Amino acid sequence: MSAATRSSTRDIARAAIRAELTRVAFELFRRDGFDKVTLDDLASAAGVSRSTFLRYFGTKEDAVLAAFDGSERRLADALRARPADEDDWTALRRAMDTVIARYHEDPAGSLATTRLVRDTPALCARNLEKQYTWRPSLAAALAGRAGDDQPTLAQSVRAAAALDCLNVALDHWLASDGALDLVALLDDAFDALASR
């Protein structure tokens, strides 16, 4: 077996274990409440040691927010892939489709995850902190589309505003218990800030 095959097999196994630990953690958090569940509870429910759990997730928050891993990269890649003649705001809106795709794939699960994150102050704060780190990537992608080395102030503002539009749309979607269409909400949020 080659080193590449071993590495690939190891990565697949690691991803499967992470997914299972996330699933177990999420179910425990939903049942008992995020603040009442300890790392020891999570490890026990998953049938692993505390140190094994911590090898995959450094915190309880990370076990939930793993559902959003890779979103920054996918969003920036989608933005860079938009047509060169498309304005920044439209490109940002269309790139957001990569982020909300998971909401269409599993609406009930996405609603439950969003509710857990929004209703748990520690998770909400950590999620917003993670999203804050997306802004430079999005601004850099906008700069790259324009042929610039560094993002302009306007590109940075657009990146920040796009993320706020996403969060506001998600808040309204959650308030409707998933009854409203998330795509339409996101379109409306972007339209509210579109140049007139």
Side-chain angles (χ1 to χ4, degrees):
M1 183 183 289
S2 72
T5 303
R6 276 194 306 274
S7 178
S8 176
T9 304
R10 200 173 306 127
D11 291 344
I12 291 168
R14 184 169 173 77
I17 292 168
R18 271 181 68 88
E20 179 60 14
L21 292 175
T22 297
R23 186 193 65 73
V24 168
F26 184 73
E27 289 307 315
L28 208 54
F29 294 146
R30 282 184 61 195
R31 188 187 75 204
D32 298 342
F34 182 82
D35 293 328
K36 291 186 173 128
V37 176
T38 67
L39 284 170
D40 288 331
D41 295 334
L42 292 170
S44 177
V48 298
S49 68
R50 178 186 169 105
S51 62
T52 296
F53 189 89
L54 288 171
R55 199 172 357 184
Y56 288 91
F57 301 107
T59 66
K60 294 188 321 181
E61 290 85 357
D62 291 341
V64 174
L65 298 178
F68 306 106
D69 285 354
S71 294
E72 174 187 359
R73 180 188 44 76
R74 284 190 302 276
L75 186 52
D77 287 349
L79 185 53
R80 281 188 286 276
R82 297 302 305 164
D85 62 343
E86 193 171 59
D87 68 273
D88 284 354
W89 197 237
T90 302
L92 279 161
R93 168 57 196 92
R94 297 281 56 99
M96 285 288 172
D97 287 336
T98 62
V99 175
I100 63 172
R102 64 182 288 274
Y103 294 87
H104 296 293
E105 294 163 6
D106 180 14
S110 295
L111 188 65
T113 301
T114 303
R115 180 167 284 117
L116 178 64
V117 170
R118 293 294 207 259
D119 290 349
T120 307
L123 285 172
C124 191
R126 181 83 169 106
N127 187 49
L128 291 174
E129 179 185 325
K130 284 182 91 160
Q131 278 189 358
Y132 184 80
T133 67
W134 298 6
R135 286 174 36 198
S137 296
L138 295 182
L142 289 174
R145 293 179 77 243
D148 299 329
D149 291 335
Q150 295 293 320
T152 64
L153 175 67
Q155 290 163 338
S156 296
V157 168
R158 285 186 201 105
L163 291 170
D164 282 342
C165 285
L166 172 65
N167 285 317
V168 169
L170 284 169
D171 287 342
H172 283 261
W173 181 68
L174 184 61
S176 77
D177 202 31
L180 296 176
D181 180 52
L182 183 55
V183 172
L185 289 168
L186 191 55
D187 286 341
D188 290 348
F190 269 74
D191 286 348
L193 293 180
S195 300
R196 300 281 174 216

